[in-house]
Amino acid sequence: MPKLSKIITRGLLASVALAVMPMAAQADEWRYAFEEALNEVQGVYATKFKEHIEENSDHTVTLYPFGTLGESADIMEQAQSGILQFVDQSPGFTGALIPEAQVFFVPYLLPQDEEQLFEFFRTSKAINEMFPELYAEQGLELLTMFPEGEVCLTTQEPVEKPEDLNEVKFRVMTNPLLVEAYAAWGATPTPLPWGEVYGALQTGIIQGQENPGFFLESTKMYEVTNVITCLGHNNFTTAVMANKDFYDGLSDEDKELVQNATQAAFDYILEYQKGLQEEALKKIAEAKPDMQIKTLTEEQRQPFMEAAGKVEEAFIGMTGESGKEILDQMKADLEAVK
Ligand code: 6CS
């Protein structure tokens, strides 16, 4: 029979050996929902993010595309409550939660030039330093924001001047500043969640909506409208975030992993979008040859641009000093990339 002291010594040695053995990192399953299909821009971004995480750790990421967990407002609630670890929600739907996020709907604020636009998203202090603080107040860790393409209008009748939007019930995402913008152009803005848009156009409840080219094509907006008008007033912005308690609780190694995945997917999605707008409009023209696809001239854009001042004032009215600070910083960031 071994002596008791020997048994204790062996036991101690075994626990020391366990303590010095490298700990196997825990493999977690993370859930990530977004507002689009898997093969649309947000889905392509999410897929790249998932690939990076899974190639560089034992964690897995389960993706939930549009419709699987509800509308944009539903997935945001799920992310805030911690049911989801990651969510992509566009500022178009974040206005009620973070009013300053509506700055992306001041018409003609973002540049049309792709290189300038991309550089703005890469370097903007407003996006990379100021917005994270505002999202944090809502229990969210803002990981990134990226553009999804020039927004164009789809309507039943041609739009060449603001008066052409008179009496047009125009669907906008659910944020008050977009309502102001379309009201300033003379339309009757109608905020609706995305899932209701195709049916509402089909039944005539609304007569127009706006979205970037790839989305007009993939969601077949051209089946229920006759005219696409591009007037250079905006580029669709989206945002990816994590539940803040979840993020704060990650090890330094996992935080770095998430940041690297964010960066890899960000670089990929900008590259992926080169030429996407033109390609999408071309596909629409092929699918429906009598679809009218128009780009307004500089002169035709002028009256739409003139209304932008009013929308900017409305933005400041809604957000006060903190909105003004964001707007001023964005203008400075945009100036820096010119
Ligand atoms: O218009 C919308 O509601 C949708 N548009 C895009 C490009 N992405 C998601 C969003 O739900």
Side-chain angles (χ1 to χ4, degrees), residues 35-36 42 93 148 171 173 194 211-212 214-215 236:
E35 305 167 319
E36 296 173 5
Q42 289 182 18
F93 292 111
E148 292 197 46
R171 180 268 175 172
M173 287 184 283
W194 172 248
N211 254 308
F214 83 89
F215 206 64
F236 192 97

Side-chain angles (χ1 to χ4, degrees), residues 1-310:
M1 278 270 286
K3 277 192 190 154
L4 186 61
S5 62
K6 267 197 188 161
I7 295 175
I8 293 171
T9 315
R10 274 190 208 141
L12 272 175
L13 282 175
S15 25
V16 170
L18 267 179
V20 295
M21 257 170 60
M23 283 275 287
Q26 197 190 323
D28 290 326
E29 189 208 321
W30 294 338
R31 290 179 289 273
Y32 178 151
F34 44 96
E35 305 167 319
E36 296 173 5
L38 202 56
N39 60 354
E40 292 169 342
V41 173
Q42 289 182 18
V44 173
Y45 178 97
T47 303
K48 199 74 195 164
F49 180 91
K50 171 185 164 76
E51 276 170 18
H52 186 98
I53 298 284
E54 294 182 354
E55 278 164 16
N56 293 282
S57 73
D58 290 329
H59 304 313
T60 51
V61 180
T62 306
L63 299 180
Y64 295 93
F66 176 75
T68 52
L69 296 177
E71 284 284 354
S72 186
D74 302 312
I75 57 175
M76 177 54 107
E77 265 180 33
Q78 291 157 22
Q80 283 183 296
S81 68
I83 298 171
L84 293 171
Q85 282 71 44
F86 300 99
V87 69
D88 185 327
Q89 189 188 59
S90 305
F93 292 111
T94 318
L97 200 62
I98 306 170
E100 292 86 346
Q102 298 178 100
V103 73
F104 293 99
F105 300 97
V106 173
Y108 297 101
L109 183 62
L110 295 181
Q112 276 208 278
D113 178 85
E114 200 171 68
E115 274 316 309
Q116 269 183 39
L117 183 78
F118 289 1
E119 193 54 17
F120 164 73
F121 276 92
R122 278 190 205 103
T123 58
S124 164
K125 194 173 162 207
I127 290 183
N128 299 304
E129 292 175 31
M130 293 171 83
F131 271 119
E133 287 178 16
L134 297 171
Y135 277 75
E137 286 167 15
Q138 302 303 327
L140 299 161
E141 178 75 27
L142 179 64
L143 296 175
T144 190
M145 288 186 173
F146 60 86
E148 292 197 46
E150 186 191 334
V151 172
C152 299
L153 284 55
T154 57
T155 48
Q156 306 304 358
E157 304 293 332
V159 178
E160 287 172 358
K161 48 191 183 313
E163 292 75 52
D164 295 332
L165 287 169
N166 279 351
E167 308 285 311
V168 174
K169 287 202 197 77
F170 199 96
R171 180 268 175 172
V172 290
M173 287 184 283
T174 53
N175 94 61
L177 200 70
L178 256 172
V179 169
E180 290 288 335
Y182 273 89
W185 287 346
T188 307
T190 312
L192 280 180
W194 172 248
E196 293 175 31
V197 178
Y198 189 99
L201 282 166
Q202 203 171 28
T203 53
I205 292 172
I206 54 168
Q207 294 92 38
Q209 65 87 42
E210 60 160 36
N211 254 308
F214 83 89
F215 206 64
L216 301 180
E217 195 272 321
S218 60
T219 60
K220 302 203 185 310
M221 282 294 105
Y222 56 87
E223 290 179 349
V224 283
T225 47
N226 304 318
V227 188
I228 295 178
T229 310
C230 302
L231 41 115
H233 69 295
N234 207 359
N235 199 293
F236 192 97
T237 298
T238 199
V240 179
M241 55 227 109
N243 171 287
K244 189 151 173 57
D245 288 340
F246 154 77
Y247 184 83
D248 289 345
L250 291 177
S251 64
D252 287 349
E253 194 189 336
D254 279 346
K255 278 188 187 139
E256 197 184 333
L257 173 74
V258 167
Q259 291 300 334
N260 289 345
T262 300
Q263 189 61 46
F266 176 87
D267 292 340
Y268 184 81
I269 208 63
L270 294 191
E271 200 52 40
Y272 171 83
Q273 288 185 73
K274 289 188 176 157
L276 194 63
Q277 181 84 0
E278 296 71 29
E279 239 174 73
L281 296 180
K282 207 168 142 221
K283 278 192 198 161
I284 294 175
E286 280 161 16
K288 184 174 171 184
D290 61 349
M291 189 79 190
Q292 299 176 50
I293 305 177
K294 298 185 173 177
T295 300
L296 296 196
T297 62
E298 280 303 319
E299 205 185 331
Q300 286 173 316
R301 290 174 191 203
Q302 218 48 49
F304 290 96
M305 285 180 167
E306 278 157 20
K310 222 168 146 185

